[in-house]
Amino acid sequence: MAPLLLPSSPIHSFPATPKLSFRSKPRPIIRAAAGLEVDSFTKKSGYLFQLSAFEAESLLDYSPSRIAAIYRRKPLILLRRLIQVGTTFGKWFGVRYIDNLMERSDQMFKVRAAELRKILVELGPAYIKIAQAVSSRPDLIPPSYLDELSLLQDRITPFSTEVALDTIEKELGLRIDELFSEISPEPVAAASLGQVYQARLRRSGQVVAVKVQRPGVQAAISLDILILRFLAGVVKKAGKFNTDLQAVIDEWASSLFREMDYRKEADNGLKFRRLYGGLKDVFVPNINMEHTTRRVLVMEWVEGQKLSEVKDLYLVEVGVYCSFNQLLENGFYHADPHPGNLFRTFDGKLAYIDFGMMGEFKQEFREGFIEACLHLVNRDFDALSKDFVTLGLLPPTAEKEAVTKALTGVFQDAVAKGVRNISFGDLLGNLGTTMYKFKFQIPSYFSLVIRSLAVLEGIAISSDPNYKVLGSTYPWIAKKVLTDSSPQLKSSLQALLYKDGAFRIDRLESLLTESLRARTEKALVKIQREEANSRVVFKEILYFTLTEKGSFVREILIEEFAKEVNGIGNPNNNQSAYLEESSLLSYQPALVSEILAMLSIIPELPPELQQQLLRLPADLARRLISRASARTIQRIFL
């Protein structure tokens, strides 16, 4: 939900001695205040709310068996919902078909898009959430539909304010005037699961956002998930899908149920703030735990605009960097980063809000994902097929050679354009046929990761049509694989740099050059998108290899240089083998001026790095002596 950063609305002020009359008894939660129209979801789907207190309590956590047990006792409600959903979508597809027959599809496009949005709102949160998943992809969704579906992010018809205030008082156990000195008379925004009011805490005077859960969402979502699980089972059998579609729905539903518990969202928000709130130009609002319950959440109020509306490419890069940290550093990521949840604050920071839908990315999958990106960019499709097994996308029994051939056909053209031009959306689209042929599976955990990356690219495309999220993430991947202490990533780096026993310095150069683009400073955003001159590149590479973070790469370079010098001095070796195009000795600057420019960099290095540089010849000499000694001993005894 994306309301917390909207411009301030008029605030209703409570007098010191309230003149408002407060209810002593809570009203039925689906009744609207007198004279107010009932919201369309309640009006059309309010019959779903009819659960006993015991049934409602049993649905606090997601459990397909408990949901099925409840609605087995309510067959008429289940049947009514099936008829409602079937006839509602049936009518809409019917008129679209008639439009097609009458050749008026183009003229009626906007009308049908608006009708679809209205249908989704009437059917409720489950369908709105599904629509939100695709509403951030301007490259996939026609503009008219995109405009309408984007309204589902924070402009849904609100429910009664009287009901909302009732909920606040009941959940927090205090009267409204005891909690707040001011509160907006109407919600500033409404979304699928709740709506937000702007208020001022009476005790501290802090301006806060008060999120109140929409009545009936739990019952409606439970029933709709039950129906979707059934349909997923039918589709899987009919289409002979290899992916466990029901498991994918279960993963999504579990996340959705956690999102309906605002206490869990509050915990997520605090953890997200702890992990990422300190990143440069990232802002995460604080949560007021004292006034947060399962159905009410109080959060720091922040002013700003949607990121998709301000066209700030620097903050898009900040978002990519933050997403990299989420997915590949800590594994705790925002699984619902639609435009309504990403804002540019008035002081120029990227603000994340709404922490209900989060995901966990395990360490082994994080490293597997990094390896897959490395192998994709370097066109090592044989290793990529193995990565897919590691990630759980392919069964271990899959025929590796056939998969490698298929992946080469799918990705060859995309990768040939260069890493900066690889579209994440295009890769997924091109992979479809191959996935079906080789019985690819979509692990339940992976659906949220894919959605997170796809949505992020969709947001970026709205600012820059040529933006590629993988191209912007790869520099961070390159930097991580060069500096990470993980044994698996070190092993991956070594495997990447050697092909058939030969050292590939061109690949090391590519990794080092790409890692230089991993910057977030505003002054360097333009430089990131242009080719830096050779002097800047060499200075950055030299600086990196001499520091502690570059020690592993430095050791590889010294070892390879010693190996090649030793090989040239060995009369038993074919010296031309050590002068291959990708070898260290054949890797030379094109001009003498470049060599002089590189040497001029040395005095600019910090003293400790100059000392490290002076120690390199001694390190190399020790390696050469060691190799010469080993060769001498070998000649004596063999």
Side-chain angles (χ1 to χ4, degrees):
M1 191 168 69
L4 301 183
L5 300 174
L6 294 177
S8 301
S9 61
I11 298 182
H12 174 77
S13 177
F14 288 122
T17 304
K19 296 181 180 179
L20 298 179
S21 59
F22 293 92
R23 281 80 60 198
S24 57
K25 296 181 181 179
R27 290 179 171 83
I29 61 173
I30 65 169
R31 186 184 302 171
L36 293 178
E37 183 181 354
V38 177
D39 67 282
S40 56
F41 169 54
T42 302
K43 186 176 181 180
K44 297 289 185 179
S45 304
Y47 65 91
L48 299 174
F49 307 171
Q50 298 169 11
L51 294 179
S52 67
F54 174 78
E55 290 170 334
E57 287 298 315
S58 70
L59 294 179
L60 295 183
D61 296 310
Y62 177 62
S63 170
S65 59
R66 283 201 297 267
I67 295 173
I70 288 173
Y71 286 104
R72 271 198 296 267
R73 299 191 296 269
K74 300 175 184 292
L76 294 180
I77 291 182
L78 176 59
L79 179 62
R80 182 176 175 181
R81 186 61 167 176
L82 284 169
I83 293 173
Q84 181 190 10
V85 173
T87 56
T88 301
F89 281 117
K91 288 178 182 177
W92 186 81
F93 281 110
V95 294
R96 285 286 294 147
Y97 180 70
I98 293 172
D99 289 342
N100 211 25
L101 290 178
M102 299 180 68
E103 298 183 349
R104 63 180 188 187
S105 295
D106 293 340
Q107 301 95 302
M108 299 299 292
F109 210 70
K110 289 187 177 181
V111 175
R112 301 306 178 215
E115 289 175 351
L116 178 60
R117 178 178 62 84
K118 182 180 178 182
I119 286 171
L120 294 170
V121 171
E122 291 175 354
L123 291 178
Y127 297 94
I128 292 171
K129 284 291 183 182
I130 293 172
Q132 284 177 344
V134 297
S135 66
S136 299
R137 294 306 306 249
D139 54 332
L140 301 178
I141 307 297
S144 295
Y145 282 87
L146 188 68
D147 293 341
E148 290 294 334
L149 294 182
S150 65
L151 299 179
L152 296 173
Q153 291 161 2
D154 58 3
R155 292 175 59 183
I156 295 173
T157 306
F159 60 93
S160 163
T161 291
E162 184 183 22
V163 171
L165 298 183
D166 254 337
T167 302
I168 294 171
E169 290 184 336
K170 182 178 179 181
E171 288 287 310
L172 298 179
L174 292 170
R175 294 178 5 158
I176 291 294
D177 63 315
E178 294 175 317
L179 291 165
F180 309 114
S181 58
E182 299 173 301
I183 191 167
S184 54
E186 298 296 334
V188 296
S192 55
L193 299 186
Q195 59 196 38
V196 171
Y197 295 83
Q198 187 185 41
R200 188 183 300 277
L201 292 173
R202 180 171 289 282
R203 185 182 300 174
S204 66
Q206 182 186 19
V207 178
V208 293
V210 183
K211 183 158 72 168
V212 189
Q213 191 168 111
R214 185 179 292 271
V217 295
Q218 207 162 28
I221 286 175
S222 298
L223 180 54
D224 288 334
I225 286 172
L226 183 66
I227 293 171
L228 289 172
R229 282 190 94 251
F230 171 76
L231 293 176
V234 173
V235 169
K236 185 178 185 300
K237 290 179 181 179
K240 297 181 181 179
F241 278 76
N242 304 300
T243 296
D244 188 345
L245 296 179
Q246 288 185 329
V248 173
I249 288 179
D250 285 340
E251 179 74 13
W252 172 71
S254 297
S255 180
L256 196 52
F257 265 69
R258 290 192 294 271
E259 190 176 359
M260 287 188 286
D261 188 340
Y262 289 168
R263 295 168 302 188
K264 293 178 181 177
E265 178 177 347
D267 290 338
N268 289 339
L270 292 176
K271 182 176 180 179
F272 195 89
R273 179 183 172 90
R274 186 179 74 252
L275 291 175
Y276 313 115
L279 296 179
K280 182 177 175 60
D281 291 324
V282 172
F283 179 79
V284 182
N286 200 13
I287 310 289
N288 187 310
M289 297 297 292
E290 182 184 357
H291 296 110
T292 293
T293 68
R294 192 163 67 85
R295 294 187 177 91
V296 174
L297 184 145
V298 177
M299 180 187 292
E300 178 182 0
W301 180 272
V302 187
E303 300 284 352
Q305 297 172 278
K306 285 184 181 180
L307 182 61
S308 58
E309 294 175 351
V310 295
K311 313 295 184 185
D312 190 328
L313 290 178
Y314 166 67
L315 285 190
V316 170
E317 294 289 345
V318 171
V320 169
Y321 174 55
C322 189
S323 294
F324 166 82
N325 273 271
Q326 293 172 46
L327 286 170
L328 303 180
E329 286 287 349
N330 297 298
F332 182 71
Y333 63 96
H334 199 301
D336 193 25
H338 63 68
N341 288 335
L342 294 173
F343 279 76
R344 182 189 187 278
T345 64
F346 290 149
D347 60 351
K349 293 186 177 182
L350 176 67
Y352 284 79
I353 61 173
D354 191 351
F355 308 103
M357 189 173 286
M358 311 297 287
E360 295 277 358
F361 205 16
K362 294 181 180 179
Q363 180 69 30
E364 60 266 30
F365 294 135
R366 279 182 258 161
E367 293 179 346
F369 186 84
I370 291 173
E371 290 178 319
C373 290
L374 287 174
H375 295 145
L376 172 66
V377 169
N378 289 281
R379 308 182 200 184
D380 192 346
F381 299 115
D382 182 57
L384 185 62
S385 65
K386 297 175 183 176
D387 295 332
F388 284 170
V389 174
T390 302
L391 291 169
L393 294 169
L394 267 176
T397 55
E399 190 179 346
K400 301 298 187 301
E401 290 185 8
V403 172
T404 299
K405 185 177 180 181
L407 291 178
T408 303
V410 169
F411 293 141
Q412 189 72 48
D413 292 339
V415 178
K417 300 174 184 177
V419 62
R420 303 182 196 186
N421 297 308
I422 298 175
S423 167
F424 184 77
D426 289 347
L427 288 181
L428 291 179
N430 294 339
L431 194 58
T433 304
T434 303
M435 291 178 72
Y436 182 80
K437 179 180 178 181
F438 291 98
K439 300 184 178 181
F440 272 58
Q441 307 166 75
I442 303 296
S444 55
Y445 81 89
F446 209 66
S447 59
L448 291 179
V449 174
I450 295 298
R451 180 177 181 274
S452 179
L453 289 173
V455 168
L456 185 66
E457 184 168 79
I459 295 171
I461 287 172
S462 66
S463 298
D464 178 2
N466 297 317
Y467 192 89
K468 304 293 184 289
V469 71
L470 184 58
S472 290
T473 304
Y474 187 70
W476 300 105
I477 293 174
K479 187 173 183 179
K480 183 173 178 62
V481 80
L482 286 170
T483 60
D484 200 278
S485 59
S486 161
Q488 182 174 337
L489 290 185
K490 283 185 175 181
S491 175
S492 297
L493 177 59
Q494 282 189 311
L496 183 72
L497 295 181
Y498 291 86
K499 185 175 182 180
D500 300 327
F503 181 62
R504 296 293 302 272
I505 192 174
D506 55 325
R507 288 188 173 183
L508 178 59
E509 180 200 13
S510 174
L511 281 173
L512 288 168
T513 304
E514 284 296 327
S515 70
L516 299 184
R517 296 198 297 127
R519 307 171 179 177
T520 56
E521 292 84 356
K522 293 181 182 179
L524 295 175
V525 169
K526 186 176 181 180
I527 295 177
Q528 285 180 221
R529 298 178 175 277
E530 298 175 353
E531 291 296 332
N533 62 62
S534 59
R535 188 177 188 277
V536 173
V537 171
F538 183 77
K539 181 178 180 180
E540 292 285 351
I541 291 175
L542 188 60
Y543 189 92
F544 165 75
T545 53
L546 293 175
T547 59
E548 181 62 31
K549 285 187 175 181
S551 59
F552 185 66
V553 172
R554 185 170 66 249
E555 288 296 312
I556 291 177
L557 289 173
I558 293 174
E559 181 65 25
E560 282 303 313
F561 198 82
K563 185 191 300 183
E564 294 190 13
V565 171
N566 180 67
I568 290 177
N570 185 355
N572 296 324
N573 287 334
N574 181 1
Q575 295 186 12
S576 63
Y578 294 92
L579 296 175
E580 294 175 348
E581 184 180 350
S582 61
S583 72
L584 278 171
L585 294 179
S586 66
Y587 185 72
Q588 301 170 0
L591 300 172
V592 174
S593 59
E594 289 188 19
I595 298 175
L596 295 176
M598 291 175 182
L599 293 176
S600 69
I601 292 169
I602 296 175
E604 300 176 15
L605 296 174
E608 62 273 16
L609 296 188
Q610 292 185 31
Q611 290 296 320
Q612 180 66 50
L613 184 63
L614 292 175
R615 284 195 291 269
L616 291 183
D619 290 342
L620 178 61
R622 281 195 294 271
R623 301 290 177 97
L624 289 172
I625 292 171
S626 175
R627 285 183 169 274
S629 300
R631 192 169 60 217
T632 301
I633 293 172
Q634 187 178 34
R635 288 174 180 171
I636 293 173
F637 293 100
L638 295 179

